Structure formats: C-alpha cells, structure tokens
Amino acid sequence: MARPLSEPDTDLLWSLTGVCFGYHQTPVLRDITLGLRSGRCTGILGPNGSGKTTVLDLLAGLHRPQSGAIEFQGRPLAAWPKKHLARLLALVPQDFMVGFGFSVREVVEMGLHPHLHRFAAPSRADLQLVDQALAATGIEALADRPVTRLSGGEKQRVAVARALAQRPAVLLLDEATSNLDIHHSLELLQLIRRRFEQQAMQVVAVMHDLNLAASFCDHLIFLKGGQVICQGPTDQVLTPATIQTVYGVEAEVTASAFTHCRQVSFRLPVAH
C-alpha cells in the first residue's frame, strides 16, 4: 500500500536523486537515483572503477554531488552539522592509515570524540565501550602496540573497533574484509551482523566477494560504469544474468545447504 503524500517515509535513510560526480574531468557517477532503507544490510557491488567507494563517500558527506541531491533521514545531507553527522555515521575505509605511532587503544578511543564535549575526558563508561570494541574485534592483546607496527589485517580490525566505539546508528564499510583472511572475514561480518540484528545498527557495505555479500547482505545494489544496473533483495538480484551483465563472466547461482544462502561459481565465457 502506498504511503499518503503527507506521511513521511521514516524507513528511508538516504535518498539520492540524479546524483552525478567526478574527479577533475573524469566522470565517475552518472545520474544515480537510489533509496537506501533501514532494517537491512545493504551491499554495494560492481567491478573496479564502477563508483562503489565514491557512493560511500557521498553517503558519508565526504564529497558533495556536482549535480543532483542527497538527503539523509529526510533532510539535505549538506544541512546536517558535521558533529551531529559524526555521531550517527561511522566509516571504515578500505585503506586505514594512521601516520603517527598512536597505540591501538588510543586509535580506538578516537571513536569516542563525536560524543565528547570539547576538552572533556572519556568517562569510565566510555572506556568500557573501548574495552568492549577491542574484545569484540579480537585485538585486546594489541591494545598497547603502536598502530604503525600492525599488519594490514590488524589495522583493519582496529578501524572496525574504532567505528564500533563510536556507537553509530549507521556503519559504512568500504571493503572492510579486503585485508583479512577467511576466518577473520567471517568473524568480523558475523560481529557486525549481530550488531545489526540486536542493536538495530544499520549497515551499508561495499564488497567485492559475491559469496560473502550473499551471506551477509539482505539487499544488493549493483553498479557498472557509474550507473545503477539493478538493486533489490539478494535472493532476487543475485542471478547469473546480473553477474553476466555487471562482470562479463558466466555464473551459476545455487542455494547452498551448507551456508544456507545463495552461492556463486563463475568462469570466463566459453569460446564457441
């Protein structure tokens, strides 16, 4: 049933209308129109250069569209005070870089800053949140180590711990498992999925691995060439036809009795 025109769409997190964006003279996104809703883990997929990270940066307010409009919770994104937005949104970047030798604990504590008054010290409850984030991501033993001496996968877990300490309403992930092995990838996604289910933390994730996306995401958005190819529930849009169109490979999509979700096998097109 359609909503009455006077009734706000409270489930709509972001609304993107006719959004275009590029770097210098190179267009990246072309006329993107999307509605991202609460109550689901949304995955953004597509080949390299399709604009996935750029969409995430626009959602986080790191860039402004060159044309078109973006609204967050029914309000123009650019109108949100940065401090307020920082309390609601946390972004885990693909390449987490810290140029100074802060300890892991100090970096995770940085996630508290949006909630603290200027010059205020963290409370005992705040520090407990940091301890919980360190434990949840399995990096307690690294708490006193300089972050500059960590592996790529360890740094990625620090980035997630910092985001969790921030207590965001929405978590934005940019290929958060790209530097992690299979065990830590599954563990991290399971942790985030639990936060989504138990604490109503909304999740939007850029992902490369189709099978991880199938097991983690309820809703998928496929991009190619800076445009939306399709979007919808995972079981409906993760199809051989979609994968052929987006990636140019042949695919078989099956329901796995082992993982209890759809799984993809793919190959290059066979020459006839």
Side-chain angles (χ1 to χ4, degrees):
M1 179 182 295
R3 297 174 184 266
L5 293 178
S6 59
E7 182 181 342
D9 191 344
T10 56
D11 293 334
L12 194 61
L13 284 174
W14 280 276
S15 174
L16 288 73
T17 307
V19 168
C20 297
F21 184 84
Y23 299 98
H24 305 296
Q25 301 300 315
T26 305
V28 176
L29 300 178
R30 301 174 177 86
D31 195 27
I32 296 287
T33 295
L34 280 174
L36 284 82
R37 297 187 174 279
S38 61
R40 60 196 186 195
C41 289
T42 298
I44 303 176
L45 296 99
N48 294 335
S50 59
K52 303 184 297 297
T53 294
T54 301
V55 168
L56 213 63
D57 288 344
L58 287 167
L59 297 180
L62 300 181
H63 300 311
R64 292 191 179 185
Q66 292 164 345
S67 61
I70 302 178
E71 291 188 350
F72 177 64
Q73 294 185 349
R75 180 181 180 185
L77 184 60
W80 283 82
K82 290 188 180 300
K83 183 83 169 180
H84 195 170
L85 205 59
R87 292 172 184 158
L88 296 173
L89 306 177
L91 172 65
V92 177
Q94 180 179 355
D95 297 310
F96 180 64
M97 302 292 294
V98 177
F100 298 94
F102 295 109
S103 71
V104 167
R105 179 179 293 278
E106 288 171 330
V107 173
V108 176
E109 286 181 2
M110 293 175 188
L112 302 173
H113 290 175
H115 299 280
L116 299 177
H117 294 294
R118 193 176 184 186
F119 304 125
S123 67
R124 180 177 296 179
D126 291 329
L127 296 179
Q128 286 177 343
L129 288 172
V130 171
D131 289 338
Q132 291 167 9
L134 291 168
T137 51
I139 55 174
E140 289 172 296
L142 305 176
D144 297 322
R145 186 179 299 181
V147 74
T148 51
R149 292 174 52 193
L150 301 182
S151 69
E154 289 168 338
K155 287 179 183 177
Q156 204 66 17
R157 286 190 281 161
V158 172
V160 172
R162 184 182 69 168
L164 295 179
Q166 191 176 327
R167 311 189 301 281
V170 185
L171 182 62
L172 303 172
L173 304 170
D174 189 4
E175 297 184 34
T177 61
S178 60
N179 291 316
L180 300 179
D181 57 46
I182 295 172
H183 177 88
H184 284 112
S185 294
L186 293 174
E187 197 171 57
L188 186 64
L189 292 178
Q190 185 180 67
L191 165 65
I192 293 168
R193 183 77 198 190
R194 281 200 305 267
R195 294 292 177 103
F196 164 75
E197 293 173 349
Q198 298 173 5
Q199 301 180 20
M201 182 182 72
Q202 308 305 311
V203 182
V204 180
V206 166
M207 304 186 75
H208 256 310
D209 190 307
L210 293 175
N211 288 319
L212 281 180
S215 66
F216 177 68
C217 300
D218 311 302
H219 191 93
L220 299 178
I221 299 167
F222 283 94
L223 300 178
K224 183 179 181 181
Q227 295 181 307
V228 176
I229 299 302
C230 68
Q231 60 175 312
T234 299
D235 289 347
Q236 294 181 18
V237 300
L238 188 62
T239 66
T242 298
I243 295 167
Q244 172 73 48
T245 298
V246 174
Y247 297 98
V249 298
E250 295 179 348
E252 179 182 70
V253 182
T254 58
S256 171
F258 183 68
T259 62
H260 304 292
C261 62
R262 297 168 81 83
Q263 294 290 276
V264 183
S265 301
F266 35 81
R267 66 185 183 188
L268 291 173
V270 177
H272 296 290

